[in-house]
Amino acid sequence: MTLHRSGGTGTDRETRRELRELQQAEREAQRGERAAARAERAAIRRARMALRRGEQPPRLVGPHAGRIFHRLRLPSHMETTAQIAGIYPFVVDAGLDTPGMYIGRHVWSGDSFVFDVFELYRQQVIENPNFAVFGSVGSRKSSLLKTLISRGAAFGYQAAVPCDPKGEYTRLARRLGCEPTYIGPGLSTRLNPLDAPPRPPGMADGDWSREVKRARSALLSSLIETAKGVPLTPSEHTAVDLALDVVTRQITGASTDRQATPLLPHVLDAMTNPSEADCTALPVTATELRDSSRDATLTLRRLTHGALGGLFDGPTTSPLDFDRPIAVLNLERVQGSDEMIALIMTCAQAWMEAALMRQDGVQRYVVYDECWRLMRFAGLVRRLSAQQKLARQWGCANAIVAHRISDLLSASPDSVEVAKGLLAETAIRILYKQASDQIPDTQRALDLTDVASDMLPRLDPGFALWLIGNRAFYVEHIVGDLEIPVVLNGSKMHGEVDNVNLVLDDLDPDVLDDYDYRDRVDPDVTDDDGDYANYDPGVGHHADGFAIDTPLPGQDGVSPEEMMDTFPYGPLSREI
């Protein structure tokens, strides 16, 4: 193509213009490529420098900052915490939404753990107020029971311990201003299990007479059955009832206020020598009745002259006072004989049932410590089961304390199902440390999860797994400084002299002045010999010797709220 300087056509001019635009576009493209190369090299240098400095990559910028421009929309889903914990394992139960006494720390959530079995029942969290505590030796299960009793006393709750074989509730009883009732060989204390219970107001004479006879007959039958090991025959039941009628003069038509109070030796004499006149209304003669009930008569004789000799064979000298904050039957002197403890326990239960039948409106803890001793006595197991069924009617919470689940399963063959029912009738189970060989039985009996079962052998003293209904709590029991001397055991293991369960009859008069028994009460209420002269049981006493001049809850019109700032343990709260 030939270009001319002038006089060119319009076509030539357009061609030149297109050429210039093409050259300009080529130059701009080259400049862009060079700029992009420079930017890439600069980015590489910055990235290398940031890598050397350990810096994080720069934040994304822009209208969406690297995020998607629209929200992800999915249907909502609801699930329980038990199921969602599989996705979010840190979701735990926040605790019981009911007021209660401070127990300690909820380990999983870190919150305070409060508990009141009567409040839980009132708010229908549980169906019955009975609970069971299991734990190996040294796991501090008894400390928990003492804490519940001591802290509950500030709110008007009372307690009964019908069997204290180790004497470990004595300090607690004295802290609450009460003295235990001591039973054992060599002591002058007598309890007549056939004493009439307090008469409910408004009950007719005939109804009252029949109720007293029923209670006495049931107690005697249970005593003899426990000692024999087999149920009584109809002839033996008849002999017991007839002997009671003769001794109380009910067979002669004596009025209710003129009926005598029977004693076990008197009942034994009536069973040994029944008269023909007393058997006129029976289809057997006196001789036939005596022969057919010989085993029961000999068993009762062994009780009055052997195992229970000197314990329950006379009028009551130290009755159990169930109107006090705590009633304790100390059986530390009765060692080496589970049968004797079971027999005494049977008598103590009769006393306690008589008090609970009054319907006085007081709520009580009834503690059956060392429950394994009772499981091989069928009569006692059935009696305990009956009391659990009446817990709501009597306003009491029965606490079964044992080392392991197998203690309940070791009941006598004819009562093993009743023993299993004891566990089924508890709404609360508290599990302290268990030996590894006990885990399978515990898991089957309580339907535990694998996670809960794995925890039990590794629990430290004072830590427990609380099963309340269908909920589980991992709780650390916290004991206050003032409570430590009362609730913890094992002072003898530290080389200390533990004379807390000694009574004045045990002491040598020559060394009485050196004995600290008088220090347990205020010196102003004792005479020169250290005996209780003007001792006021309504005044509590510290274990270290000084008196508390504040009446206990329920005495002298003192309400639980007025006790909050003066209770021996310091201010307490039912809701933390």
Side-chain angles (χ1 to χ4, degrees):
M1 180 177 64
T2 303
L3 299 177
H4 300 278
R5 291 180 176 274
S6 62
T9 63
T11 303
D12 295 336
R13 289 192 297 272
E14 291 178 359
T15 301
R16 288 193 297 273
R17 186 170 58 253
E18 291 176 357
L19 181 60
R20 288 193 299 271
E21 291 176 355
L22 180 60
Q23 294 173 349
Q24 182 67 24
E26 291 177 354
R27 288 192 293 272
E28 291 178 356
Q30 292 174 358
R31 287 195 297 270
E33 291 176 358
R34 290 193 295 271
R38 289 193 300 271
E40 183 178 2
R41 290 193 297 271
I44 292 174
R45 288 195 301 271
R46 288 194 300 270
R48 289 175 177 175
M49 294 175 61
L51 184 62
R52 287 195 297 269
R53 292 194 303 266
E55 295 179 355
Q56 298 295 327
R59 296 181 58 185
L60 298 176
V61 295
H64 303 293
R67 297 187 297 270
I68 192 169
F69 71 94
H70 65 275
R71 293 183 178 180
L72 182 64
R73 300 183 181 276
L74 293 176
S76 60
H77 178 70
M78 298 182 64
E79 189 55 86
T80 64
T81 55
Q83 300 297 328
I84 206 68
I87 303 176
Y88 297 96
F90 305 106
V91 177
V92 298
D93 199 324
L96 298 170
D97 190 19
T98 58
M101 297 170 289
Y102 177 75
I103 300 298
R105 181 174 63 95
H106 186 198
V107 179
W108 285 330
S109 65
D111 295 335
S112 298
F113 183 80
V114 297
F115 172 78
D116 189 330
V117 64
F118 300 105
E119 284 289 345
L120 292 175
Y121 179 77
R122 277 193 289 268
Q123 299 195 19
Q124 299 181 354
V125 178
I126 56 178
E127 298 178 352
N128 66 77
N130 303 315
F131 60 100
V133 183
F134 299 97
S136 59
V137 177
S139 60
R140 299 182 183 174
K141 57 185 181 299
S142 296
S143 299
L144 174 65
L145 272 301
K146 297 172 191 175
T147 300
L148 290 177
I149 295 173
S150 61
R151 297 177 185 176
F155 306 105
Y157 297 148
Q158 297 182 4
V161 185
C163 179
D164 183 14
K166 296 189 295 186
E168 56 183 323
Y169 287 86
T170 300
R171 286 190 175 91
L172 174 60
R174 288 176 178 151
R175 175 64 64 88
L176 297 178
C178 305
E179 186 69 15
T181 299
Y182 296 88
I183 287 289
L187 297 179
S188 58
T189 306
R190 298 289 187 276
L191 288 179
N192 181 16
L194 300 180
D195 282 340
R199 182 172 179 173
M203 181 174 289
D205 290 346
D207 296 337
W208 175 238
S209 179
R210 285 190 293 271
E211 180 63 27
V212 171
K213 179 181 177 180
R214 182 205 62 78
R216 289 169 173 168
S217 177
L219 172 62
L220 275 177
S221 300
S222 182
L223 274 175
I224 298 173
E225 180 180 338
T226 300
K228 286 181 57 180
V230 294
L232 270 63
T233 64
S235 298
E236 292 171 335
H237 278 292
T238 302
V240 169
D241 293 340
L242 180 63
L244 285 173
D245 291 342
V246 171
V247 173
T248 60
R249 297 193 295 270
Q250 190 172 355
I251 196 172
T252 61
S255 59
T256 304
D257 56 343
R258 296 182 64 85
Q259 293 179 6
T261 300
L263 300 176
L264 289 181
H266 299 164
V267 176
L268 174 62
D269 293 340
M271 292 180 63
T272 304
N273 299 304
S275 64
E276 293 292 345
D278 297 334
C279 298
T280 53
L282 300 178
V284 294
T285 63
T287 302
E288 293 173 341
L289 181 62
R290 182 179 64 246
D291 294 341
S292 60
S293 61
R294 181 178 291 110
D295 290 344
T297 303
L298 294 176
T299 301
L300 185 59
R301 175 179 174 79
R302 185 167 68 88
L303 296 180
T304 55
H305 293 81
L308 295 184
L311 304 179
F312 294 92
D313 55 357
T316 298
T317 60
S318 300
L320 294 174
D321 189 357
F322 292 97
D323 292 326
R324 307 302 309 281
I326 185 171
V328 179
L329 189 60
N330 187 303
L331 304 181
E332 191 182 32
R333 298 296 188 89
V334 185
Q335 296 294 338
S337 175
D338 291 342
E339 180 183 10
M340 183 182 294
I341 291 179
L343 295 173
I344 296 176
M345 180 72 179
T346 302
C347 298
Q349 271 190 315
W351 270 76
M352 186 174 58
E353 291 171 3
L356 298 179
M357 286 171 57
R358 295 177 300 175
Q359 302 292 334
D360 54 4
V362 178
Q363 295 168 315
R364 294 179 176 87
Y365 291 103
V366 181
V367 179
Y368 293 96
D369 211 339
E370 302 293 330
C371 199
W372 60 271
R373 295 176 177 266
L374 317 176
M375 288 298 104
R376 65 186 183 92
F377 301 100
L380 202 53
V381 173
R382 289 195 294 269
R383 199 179 187 97
L384 182 57
S385 177
Q387 184 171 319
Q388 277 194 320
K389 293 180 173 63
L390 294 172
R392 294 178 299 174
Q393 178 182 346
W394 288 347
C396 62
N398 297 293
I400 298 176
V401 185
H403 294 120
R404 47 192 175 269
I405 292 290
S406 58
D407 290 341
L408 298 182
L409 305 180
S410 63
S412 57
D414 56 342
S415 61
V416 64
E417 294 299 326
V418 181
K420 291 180 180 179
L422 293 177
L423 184 60
E425 292 162 359
T426 58
I428 300 171
R429 290 82 178 265
I430 304 172
L431 302 177
Y432 284 86
K433 182 178 181 179
Q434 296 287 306
S436 300
D437 59 345
Q438 299 297 321
I439 300 304
D441 291 339
T442 305
Q443 185 174 13
R444 285 192 298 268
L446 301 180
D447 195 20
L448 297 179
T449 63
D450 294 338
V451 175
S453 300
D454 293 340
M455 289 178 56
L456 295 182
R458 298 182 285 107
L459 293 177
D460 293 327
F463 289 78
L465 184 64
W466 291 55
L467 306 177
I468 303 177
N470 295 324
R471 303 164 67 181
F473 305 91
Y474 182 27
V475 179
E476 177 191 7
H477 176 212
I478 297 179
V479 181
D481 292 339
L482 290 176
E483 294 175 308
I484 290 177
V486 178
V487 304
L488 296 183
N489 302 322
S491 59
K492 295 181 181 179
M493 292 297 295
H494 299 289
E496 302 175 8
V497 177
D498 187 2
N499 51 17
V500 69
N501 287 302
L502 294 180
V503 296
L504 291 179
D505 295 339
D506 300 324
L507 305 177
D508 186 350
D510 296 334
V511 298
L512 185 60
D513 293 339
D514 298 330
Y515 181 59
D516 65 348
Y517 185 83
R518 292 173 295 175
D519 294 337
R520 297 176 188 158
V521 296
D522 191 4
D524 295 336
V525 299
T526 57
D527 58 19
D528 294 337
D529 296 329
D531 296 328
Y532 290 104
N534 299 313
Y535 175 64
D536 181 7
V539 178
H541 296 272
H542 278 293
D544 52 5
F546 57 88
I548 306 165
D549 56 0
T550 303
L552 292 170
Q555 298 175 352
D556 299 333
V558 178
S559 64
E561 290 75 12
E562 296 171 342
M563 287 294 302
M564 297 297 290
D565 298 327
T566 56
F567 191 62
Y569 301 111
L572 294 176
S573 175
R574 295 185 65 175
E575 187 170 10
I576 306 297

